[in-house]
Amino acid sequence: MKFGMVAVGLALIAAAGPRPALAEDRAPAPPAAPAESPWTVSGSLRVRAESLAGQFRPRLAEHDDVLFTRAILALGYDAGRVRFGAELFDSRAFGQDSRSSVGTSEVNALELVQAYAEVDLDEGGASTLQLGRMTMDLGSKRLVSRQNFRNTTNAYTGVRLQTALAGGGLTAFWVLPHYRLPDDRPGVEDHAVEWDRESTDLQLFGASWVRAVGDRAATLELYGYGLLERDDAALQTRNRRLFTPGFRWRRPPRAGRMDFELEAAGQVGSARRTAAVADTRDLDVAAWFIHAELGRTLDHAWKPRLAAHYDQASGDRGGDRYTRFDPLFGARRFEFGPAGLYGPISRQNLRSPGVRVEIRPSSRFEAMAMYRGLWLDSPTDAPGLTGVADPSGRSGRFAGQQLETRARYALDPDRVWLEVGAARLFKGRHLGEAPNAPDTGDTVFGYADVTVSF
């Protein structure tokens, strides 16, 4: 299936599109049901062609062209103080190479991602309790998210409370993250239907509190998330026992003024360095990440926004402590480039300054371009999700540079969106000289998709 070069060509023609200011990585909302009906039915179908050349991961196909499809059907019933919801995902991939990176992040056939009840705990609905299978976006989505660009999404089974507290809003939760199944190569390639699994062997819990501060144009968020993991009969793990406290201070973009965001989190606990059966040593964890952003939206009809970014996340330095930051269940696309066949950058072993330009000439069109420099926090650890490492550290810290673009256009703002994008990873010394680095040259990636909602 040689449609990959078409995707690259379309993506390189267009400039790129920004995330919406307050909903960075969300799909367009489907039209609402008539107000008089307690039932709602909505959904979407997305078809995306992706092409990658110059693979950055070791031992995988140098070139890969894939067609991804994702169908979503959601059903809701409003019984007053109790609401019920269900959501079915069908995510598939076609045409991938036999050594493709495609896995459970892209394929999950016929999965009931959400099936929940939400109860108002007071007359005004200021406090709600949600129980069952659910998806979650918390704060910036850097640590807990519902994925949109990625072909599959994160989902959880448990309980979530949302209520007012001390002039702000509190979200507290205890959930079991889903293991997406099947996770074997034949099952993924055959689109086998298997119910995703949750287990008390993997638990996520915590709380987040957000309130307006200062002139109420800014918000302050305080949070703490815990993760408990252990081996079971079906899966060997790193036995992570992590606590991740952090804060986020943000002033959202608005025409004619400066905006900013500062988020930082630490991570403590214990974990094993690998999931190998022979690795039974629990190490103390000491890791962290920081994101800083300063931007300005010009008072112009096209709403141009210029922003400077800086991201740093600790990498592992070996020894008796584990210092590589774990991003839990966070999203990456809105800051670090496309996922799918691409996605080398994550909040792990990273030092990265960058600049971003966004425009939104109309409600139908938006575009974005971003440049990043990429360095390793630890020269002995692999940067991001590349898997390229030099335990001696002699390949240096410079991983390279990334240039990304994206554009989105609405044929119908409520129903039909077109999107194209491209990214190029100019490999630096580490990604070119590390002992397991593939000799494939720079990585070039492009995609084109259409989403139809109802």
Side-chain angles (χ1 to χ4, degrees), residues 303-331:
K303 300 179 179 64
R305 178 175 180 264
L306 310 176
H309 293 236
Y310 181 74
D311 292 272
Q312 186 167 348
S314 57
D316 189 30
R317 289 171 167 75
D320 296 332
R321 293 198 306 172
Y322 188 74
T323 54
R324 182 179 174 91
F325 185 76
D326 191 317
L328 302 179
F329 302 92

Side-chain angles (χ1 to χ4, degrees), residues 345-365:
I345 311 173
S346 67
R347 293 177 190 89
Q348 298 169 293
N349 195 30
L350 176 71
R351 297 179 183 178
S352 178
V355 292
R356 183 182 184 111
V357 180
E358 306 174 0
I359 58 170
R360 190 172 301 172
S362 72
S363 61
R364 289 177 175 265
F365 179 74

Side-chain angles (χ1 to χ4, degrees), residues 67 123-124 163 206 259 262 308 337 367 441-442:
L67 183 70
E123 290 292 340
T163 188
D259 59 83
L262 178 64
D442 292 340

Side-chain angles (χ1 to χ4, degrees), residues 2 16 29 37 74 79 95 156 209 236 248 290 332 364 430 434:
K2 298 301 181 182
S37 172
Y156 317 84
W209 177 76
Q236 190 74 21
R248 181 189 186 211
I290 185 171
R332 298 180 292 125
R364 289 177 175 265
H430 180 91

Side-chain angles (χ1 to χ4, degrees), residues 61-341:
E62 181 177 352
H63 304 278
D64 207 2
D65 297 329
V66 184
L67 183 70
F68 294 106
T69 64
R70 188 185 70 187
I72 301 175
L73 179 64
L75 178 68
Y77 181 78
D78 188 343
R81 291 187 62 171
V82 181
R83 293 166 297 281
F84 300 92
E87 187 176 35
L88 183 72
F89 266 56
D90 186 72
S91 304
R92 303 184 183 229
F94 303 92
Q96 63 266 37
D97 189 272
S98 60
R99 294 187 297 128
S100 175
S101 62
V102 170
T104 59
S105 291
E106 292 77 36
V107 175
N108 198 8
L110 285 177
E111 180 61 36
L112 188 64
V113 169
Q114 297 200 88
Y116 63 84
E118 186 176 52
V119 183
D120 290 340
L121 301 180
D122 55 19
E123 290 292 340
S127 298
T128 62
L129 188 68
Q130 187 177 9
L131 306 98
R133 283 195 157 201
M134 65 187 78
T135 60
M136 295 194 299
D137 281 333
L138 296 181
S140 66
K141 299 173 51 177
R142 293 186 177 98
L143 295 174
V144 180
S145 72
R146 171 192 168 105
Q147 305 281 349
N148 180 59
F149 183 90
R150 204 179 74 192
N151 214 41
T152 64
T153 191
N154 298 330
Y156 317 84
T157 297
V159 57
R160 176 170 58 170
L161 170 69
Q162 294 179 284
T163 188
L165 177 69
L170 174 70
T171 299
F173 63 93
W174 174 82
V175 295
L176 308 177
H178 294 180
Y179 298 96
R180 288 185 295 277
L181 297 174
D183 56 3
D184 62 293
R185 188 87 191 165
V188 168
E189 291 183 347
D190 293 341
H191 303 137
V193 177
E194 184 175 351
W195 187 263
D196 288 356
R197 180 172 65 94
E198 58 270 279
S199 167
T200 54
D201 292 323
L202 180 62
Q203 304 178 40
L204 179 69
F205 53 89
S208 171
W209 177 76
V210 185
R211 67 163 293 171
V213 295
D215 60 1
R216 305 185 69 84
T219 57
L220 175 65
E221 178 186 5
L222 305 175
Y223 58 80
Y225 304 141
L227 181 75
L228 296 179
E229 177 187 63
R230 62 186 177 188
D231 300 339
D232 62 20
L235 182 67
Q236 190 74 21
T237 74
R238 291 178 44 237
N239 275 37
R240 295 172 294 169
R241 295 170 175 83
L242 305 176
F243 177 60
T244 307
F247 77 91
R248 181 189 186 211
W249 183 32
R250 178 175 184 259
R251 187 185 193 190
R254 196 176 76 184
R257 75 175 189 190
M258 301 293 294
D259 59 83
F260 62 83
E261 183 175 8
L262 178 64
E263 181 170 5
Q267 200 164 68
V268 296
S270 65
R272 295 172 185 172
R273 186 156 275 126
T274 72
V277 175
D279 187 353
T280 60
R281 185 184 181 193
D282 293 322
L283 304 173
D284 290 337
V285 170
W288 57 277
F289 95 91
I290 185 171
H291 169 80
E293 181 177 342
L294 182 65
R296 184 176 179 86
T297 303
L298 304 182
D299 194 2
H300 184 277
W302 282 28
K303 300 179 179 64
R305 178 175 180 264
L306 310 176
H309 293 236
Y310 181 74
D311 292 272
Q312 186 167 348
S314 57
D316 189 30
R317 289 171 167 75
D320 296 332
R321 293 198 306 172
Y322 188 74
T323 54
R324 182 179 174 91
F325 185 76
D326 191 317
L328 302 179
F329 302 92
R332 298 180 292 125
R333 193 274 179 270
F334 66 94
E335 285 179 334
F336 295 142
L341 296 182

